């Protein structure tokens, strides 16, 4: 098992980790599901966390037994509709939307020389970082358009460590989604989950809240 002293880099998810966009994604998908007559549930909402735009749409259609009801072109139109609603909400964001403790954590990581990269499935990640005024912290972003497979496949986290020129076991991956934790584990990185300990039970360490994510607390858990 990796020791805290071995850690040199952090590979971050964005939505639900640095900012609360997971709620905005959920609301925009919920709206679309309602318009399609697909019943919404917390389980469906949680299962969509970390999942790419088109895969999320497929999951929603499947939940409603409608996976064969639309052509590819119609599906793309539905995804665009969701994205338009989502982006309108993103454009209202400010640095006040950074989750508690995350700015201080990023500042501490930077001050102590840890390397940072972003492993978000979102094609809107640069826009979100811009709104939060955090773009400077993440010059290294995995391009989700370059991926063959989405989370829980390890590809995005493997690429996140490669951008830092670090071996996987010297990186901590930070996630709020079960699919993301699975991706980090499969990439051979140390997984830090933020959220419900049962949902994120596969993570090497879980914090209930972003405010608890500090280097001291990580060191205590990792040893
Ligand atoms: C992930 C979110 O970060 O990005 C998902 O957790 C979202 O909910 C995915 O579907 C893709 O985002 P976007 O902005 O490219 O539609
Ligand atoms: Mg997330």
């Amino acid at each position: 098992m990796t020791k805290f002293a071995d850690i040199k880099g952090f590979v971050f998810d964005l939505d639900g980790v640095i900012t609360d966009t997971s709620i905005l994604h959920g609301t925009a998908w919920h709206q679309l599901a309602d318009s399609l007559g697909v019943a919404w549930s917390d389980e469906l909402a949680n299962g969509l966390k970390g999942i790419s735009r088109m895969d999320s749409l497929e999951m929603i259609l499947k939940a409603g037994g409608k996976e064969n009801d639309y052509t590819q072109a119609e599906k793309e139109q539905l995804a665009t509709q969701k994205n338009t609603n989502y982006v309108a909400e993103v454009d209202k964001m400010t640095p006040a939307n950074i989750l508690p403790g995350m700015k201080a954590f990023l500042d501490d990581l930077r001050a102590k020389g840890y390397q940072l990269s972003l492993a978000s499935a979102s094609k809107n990640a640069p826009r979100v970082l811009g709104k939060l005024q955090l773009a400077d912290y993440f010059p290294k972003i995995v391009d989700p358009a370059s991926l063959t497979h989405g989370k829980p496949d390890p590809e995005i986290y493997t690429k996140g460590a490669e951008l830092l020129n670090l071996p996987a076991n010297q990186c901590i991956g930070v996630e709020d989604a079960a699919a993301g934790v699975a991706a980090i584990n499969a990439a051979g990185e140390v997984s830090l989950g933020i959220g419900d300990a049962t949902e994120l039970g596969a993570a090497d360490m879980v914090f209930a809240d972003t405010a608890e994510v500090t280097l001291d607390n990580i060191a205590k858990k990792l040893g």
Side-chain angles (χ1 to χ4, degrees), residues 13-16 21-22 25-26 29 45 48-54 56 79 82-83 86-87 119-125 128 144 151 176-177:
D13 176 44
L14 174 67
D15 296 317
T21 34
S22 59
H25 277 294
W29 283 127
L48 296 178
K49 285 183 189 166
I51 306 299
S52 75
R53 195 179 307 167
M54 287 312 283
S56 296
K82 179 267 172 181
N83 192 55
Y86 173 67
V87 166
S120 169
S122 174
K123 292 178 176 159
N124 292 301
V128 172
K151 299 171 187 180
D176 68 314

Side-chain angles (χ1 to χ4, degrees), residues 31-220:
Q31 267 174 19
L32 187 79
D34 282 351
S35 74
L36 300 176
V38 174
W40 193 249
S41 66
D42 287 348
E43 201 190 339
L44 181 55
N46 280 331
L48 296 178
K49 285 183 189 166
I51 306 299
S52 75
R53 195 179 307 167
M54 287 312 283
D55 287 351
S56 296
L57 176 65
E58 292 293 348
M59 281 174 70
I60 290 166
L61 293 177
K62 204 160 177 211
K66 295 179 187 293
E67 62 269 43
N68 299 318
D69 292 7
Y70 300 93
T71 64
Q72 191 54 31
E74 286 169 336
K75 286 178 186 174
E76 269 156 31
Q77 224 174 353
L78 292 174
T80 300
Q81 196 182 315
K82 179 267 172 181
N83 192 55
T84 304
N85 291 336
Y86 173 67
V87 166
E89 294 305 310
V90 165
D91 284 346
K92 295 178 195 160
M93 291 172 72
T94 71
N97 293 100
I98 299 171
L99 280 166
M102 272 293 140
K103 177 72 166 42
F105 182 51
L106 291 171
D107 282 332
D108 198 29
L109 291 178
R110 206 154 70 160
K112 294 190 170 126
Y114 289 94
Q115 297 202 59
L116 308 182
S117 67
L118 198 79
S120 169
S122 174
K123 292 178 176 159
N124 292 301
R127 187 183 196 116
V128 172
L129 287 175
K131 288 283 160 191
L132 301 174
Q133 294 177 19
L134 291 179
D136 286 359
Y137 293 74
F138 293 101
K140 294 174 178 172
I141 298 178
V142 180
D143 177 6
S146 74
L147 301 173
T148 322
H149 300 290
K151 299 171 187 180
D153 188 278
E155 188 178 11
I156 193 167
Y157 276 96
T158 300
K159 287 192 170 175
E162 280 171 7
L163 284 178
L164 305 179
N165 289 315
L166 290 174
N169 64 3
Q170 292 180 11
C171 296
I172 292 183
V174 188
E175 264 291 344
D176 68 314
V181 166
I184 296 168
N185 290 345
E189 295 164 19
V190 175
S191 50
L192 186 163
I194 303 170
D196 183 78
T198 315
E199 214 173 288
L200 305 176
D204 294 312
M205 65 187 99
V206 179
F207 293 93
D209 193 276
T210 52
E212 293 168 21
V213 183
T214 63
L215 279 172
D216 277 355
N217 286 341
I218 294 170
K220 276 183 211 146

